[in-house]
Amino acid sequence: MTFTRGFRGRRARDPRLPPGQYDVGADWPVLTAEATPTLSTATWSFNIEGLVEQPVKWTWDEIRALPGSDYAGDIHCVTTWSKLGVSFHGVSVDTLLAAARPMPSAGYVLATSHTGYTTNLPLADVTGGKAWVVWDFEGQPLGREHGGPARLLVPHLYFWKSAKWVSGLRLLDHDEPGFWERNGYHDRGDPWLEQRYQGD
Ligand SMILES: Nc1nc2c(c(=O)[nH]1)N[C@H]1C(S)=C(S)[C@@H](COP(=O)(O)O)O[C@H]1N2
Ligand SMILES: [Mo]
């Protein structure tokens, strides 16, 4: 049996697309609640604090000297665009947490930004090779509008969890809603479960 394009109708849906998402292609929309900051790498820092044995603060040079790690895959924004087959380079959050050593009571993290943006995650969503602090996109320095010099990357959850201009992780024994979570977004944000808004 032969299928012509018209006969076959709509193109098969890319299995990498979670429900309700579309492929944005080469575009990369910018979604920012605050004004885009200009952060100098000379004063930039990233810290892990809260329920850890050893609070740690890295400078730009120090974090880039850590063993690197890459992500190759997809990202999904709650506003329904997905970007398929992208790559980022940075450091695994596992590497950072190994230095800080979370206490057994630490079950949650609040990611903070140099701009004041926050977003909350269960610790289990940033461990086990699922989260990065990244500074390169497709082999180039991450653009300022996309969170450069460095952002959090938690690609298995909706992209609002990937805090731009990330400044640190605060380990907590309780869940503390961040900026969008206080404004109606889902607490966890799994795109495959379409956890977009509170109640989803
Ligand atoms: N600091 C900060 N980080 C942020 C945001 C923001 O407004 N401020 N928006 C989030 C949302 S809703 C999305 S979809 C992504 C957008 O990242 P992009 O602008 O690089 O596409 O960043 C997330 N991280
Ligand atoms: Mo978003």
Side-chain angles (χ1 to χ4, degrees):
M1 187 148 62
T2 312
F3 288 91
T4 66
R5 204 175 147 76
F7 215 69
R8 200 161 156 258
R10 294 211 301 141
R11 215 153 46 93
R13 195 178 155 77
D14 192 310
R16 294 174 295 177
L17 282 175
Q21 297 293 113
Y22 74 96
D23 180 355
V24 75
D27 292 347
W28 188 1
V30 172
L31 284 115
T32 304
E34 66 273 39
T36 296
T38 303
L39 302 176
S40 164
T41 55
T43 53
W44 184 92
S45 67
F46 180 89
N47 79 304
I48 298 190
E49 60 182 16
L51 297 173
V52 290
E53 304 288 348
Q54 178 62 63
V56 190
K57 187 171 187 169
W58 290 269
T59 65
W60 179 248
D61 290 339
E62 287 166 349
I63 203 166
R64 289 173 61 99
L66 295 172
S69 179
D70 295 309
Y71 170 72
D74 314 321
I75 55 178
H76 312 288
C77 175
V78 69
T79 62
T80 75
W81 58 264
S82 290
K83 212 167 155 51
L84 303 175
V86 295
S87 69
F88 289 90
H89 175 79
V91 61
S92 170
V93 170
D94 292 311
T95 301
L96 302 169
L97 287 172
R101 288 182 280 124
M103 292 178 183
S105 56
Y108 299 89
V109 302
L110 188 71
T112 58
S113 288
H114 289 282
T115 52
Y117 182 87
T118 54
T119 187
N120 57 307
L121 299 130
L123 182 60
D125 274 320
V126 296
T127 51
K130 293 193 291 295
W132 292 259
V133 171
V134 294
W135 46 81
D136 286 346
F137 172 75
E138 306 284 347
Q140 299 295 323
L142 184 66
R144 208 162 61 88
E145 69 280 16
H146 291 298
R151 76 183 297 161
L152 191 64
L153 177 68
V154 190
H156 71 290
L157 299 177
Y158 282 126
F159 213 33
W160 85 80
K161 298 290 183 181
S162 296
K164 302 199 279 189
W165 313 293
V166 70
S167 60
L169 298 178
R170 189 175 308 146
L171 280 84
L172 304 167
D173 61 6
H174 62 281
D175 193 19
E176 194 171 305
F179 176 77
W180 283 119
E181 294 83 5
R182 286 196 303 270
N183 285 284
Y185 281 21
H186 195 276
D187 199 58
R188 178 145 185 270
D190 182 337
W192 294 97
L193 301 175
E194 272 210 274
Q195 295 174 335
R196 297 179 192 275
Y197 307 108
Q198 274 169 38
D200 285 352

